[in-house]
Amino acid sequence: KKLWNTANLIMDRLARDAIREYIGSGSTALRFAWPVSDGRPKDFTEAIKWLANRLDLELGAGPNNPAKKDGGVDVVAWRRIRDPRSKCSIVLAQCTFQTDFKHKARDIFVDQWMSWILFGWDPSVALVVPFFLSGLMFTLLFSAGARSIQALYFWDLTGAATGCVLI
């Protein structure tokens, strides 16, 4: 369990940094997931207040749900927009290692989030699934080259070994 939590923490931090870079210069991102980090309070209601303060946005009057831990959001990223009002472009992201990840995209209820924090407009929602595209690429490659699987597997392992040595 501890190893799993460590893997989730690493993935969330990688996603946080990647989304921040994707949004562009001047953006901010933080990990909102459970268990808490990045200075986030443990209590969900306090965490929402803390996040609204970080975003410089007003709290909404949405229903308080003490059973919530992270509201389905693992990473929150934003960039201020030059506007006299406190507005920003916001991304709410869910990260998962699960291979059946289709349902994970529905963990973030945007309407509920908009009732907790007055964003001004709908935030973008992202689903972060590591290794999915590379796994798909190797599946297609190995399927297409089934007759020469030994050679394909040899070069796959050689590439992985070379990467380990270089790192």
Side-chain angles (χ1 to χ4, degrees):
K1 175 126 178 152
K2 188 174 183 177
L3 184 60
W4 183 253
N5 287 339
T6 301
N8 280 331
L9 179 64
I10 291 169
M11 181 178 156
D12 291 347
R13 288 180 175 166
L14 287 171
R16 175 196 64 196
D17 295 346
I19 294 169
R20 182 178 53 233
E21 288 299 315
Y22 179 75
I23 293 175
S25 65
S27 63
T28 305
L30 55 85
R31 183 177 176 274
F32 195 79
W34 188 266
V36 301
S37 64
D38 287 2
R40 187 208 130 161
K42 284 185 179 181
D43 178 72
F44 184 71
T45 303
E46 291 302 313
I48 291 293
K49 291 176 186 175
W50 171 79
L51 180 59
N53 186 50
R54 295 284 311 262
L55 291 164
D56 194 26
L57 295 173
E58 294 179 32
L59 283 172
N64 180 9
N65 187 344
K68 293 278 185 193
K69 289 185 176 182
D70 60 19
V73 172
D74 295 323
V75 174
V76 179
W78 67 94
R79 185 175 72 187
R80 296 254 168 254
I81 296 173
R82 293 183 183 170
D83 190 310
R85 300 163 289 183
S86 293
K87 300 289 185 215
C88 37
S89 176
I90 299 171
V91 176
L92 304 175
Q94 166 63 240
C95 305
T96 185
F97 281 113
Q98 295 179 6
T99 54
D100 183 19
F101 55 83
K102 294 175 188 171
H103 73 281
K104 294 298 282 182
R106 292 182 233 128
D107 281 0
I108 301 173
F109 297 103
V110 174
D111 290 342
Q112 193 170 37
W113 273 91
M114 290 180 67
S115 75
W116 292 329
I117 299 175
L118 303 178
F119 293 120
W121 53 71
D122 289 359
S124 299
V125 175
L127 178 63
V128 179
V129 183
F131 313 116
F132 175 72
L133 294 178
S134 62
L136 179 63
M137 178 189 72
F138 280 110
T139 299
L140 294 174
L141 181 64
F142 287 164
S143 296
R147 292 181 187 204
S148 57
I149 194 70
Q150 294 88 353
L152 284 171
Y153 192 57
F154 169 79
W155 288 111
D156 176 41
L157 290 177
T158 301
T162 303
C164 289
V165 169
L166 293 176
I167 291 175

